[in-house]
Amino acid sequence: MSQFEKYHPILTPHYTFDWLTKARVIDVFNLYQTSTPTATMETTATQINHIMREIFHDRQLIWGVTDRTTTKFVGQVALRPLTLPTIRERSSLISGQLISKPPR
């Protein structure tokens, strides 16, 4: 995890990227409900714990994203290992999930 410590928090002019444990579970639950309607508070808490274990073991990096103006949780962004059959080198996949569209 020491190598990932330097990647949080990340501050941009509009957003803060920090560990998911900094977000309220209910806010993460609301995000997960958009893609998995069967998600519960218990499965959400379990998922957050699993994500943090993966981060601590240097297997992936996921941030909770908070709007700096409103301090509302707006989504999560992840870097995960990606191996494609046509590419032998290891690369990363950036994925994200937002609760709502950011303002333009």
Side-chain angles (χ1 to χ4, degrees), residues 4-58:
F4 287 155
E5 268 301 311
K6 59 186 165 202
Y7 297 115
H8 94 99
I10 295 174
L11 305 175
T12 72
H14 302 285
Y15 299 101
T16 298
F17 294 71
D18 210 339
W19 301 138
L20 269 178
T21 51
K22 298 286 186 172
R24 296 180 330 153
V25 174
I26 187 72
D27 295 334
V28 178
F29 167 73
N30 289 334
L31 170 69
Y32 289 173
Q33 277 273 297
T34 63
S35 62
T36 310
T38 58
T40 65
M41 290 291 282
E42 183 179 348
T43 60
T44 300
T46 300
Q47 181 65 19
I48 291 170
N49 286 332
H50 173 73
I51 287 168
M52 292 309 296
R53 274 194 305 278
E54 292 292 296
I55 291 169
F56 286 125
H57 289 99
D58 295 330

Side-chain angles (χ1 to χ4, degrees), residues 24-97:
R24 296 180 330 153
V25 174
I26 187 72
D27 295 334
V28 178
F29 167 73
N30 289 334
L31 170 69
Y32 289 173
Q33 277 273 297
T34 63
S35 62
T36 310
T38 58
T40 65
M41 290 291 282
E42 183 179 348
T43 60
T44 300
T46 300
Q47 181 65 19
I48 291 170
N49 286 332
H50 173 73
I51 287 168
M52 292 309 296
R53 274 194 305 278
E54 292 292 296
I55 291 169
F56 286 125
H57 289 99
D58 295 330
R59 291 189 208 128
Q60 66 182 351
L61 188 53
I62 297 179
W63 296 274
V65 182
T66 305
D67 184 299
R68 292 187 70 188
T69 303
T70 65
T71 68
K72 290 186 179 181
F73 178 78
V74 295
Q76 73 180 34
V77 175
L79 292 175
R80 295 186 178 104
L82 173 68
T83 305
L84 300 174
T86 57
I87 300 174
R88 291 186 180 195
E89 295 176 20
R90 189 174 176 153
S91 59
S92 292
L93 171 67
I94 299 175
S95 64
Q97 186 175 20

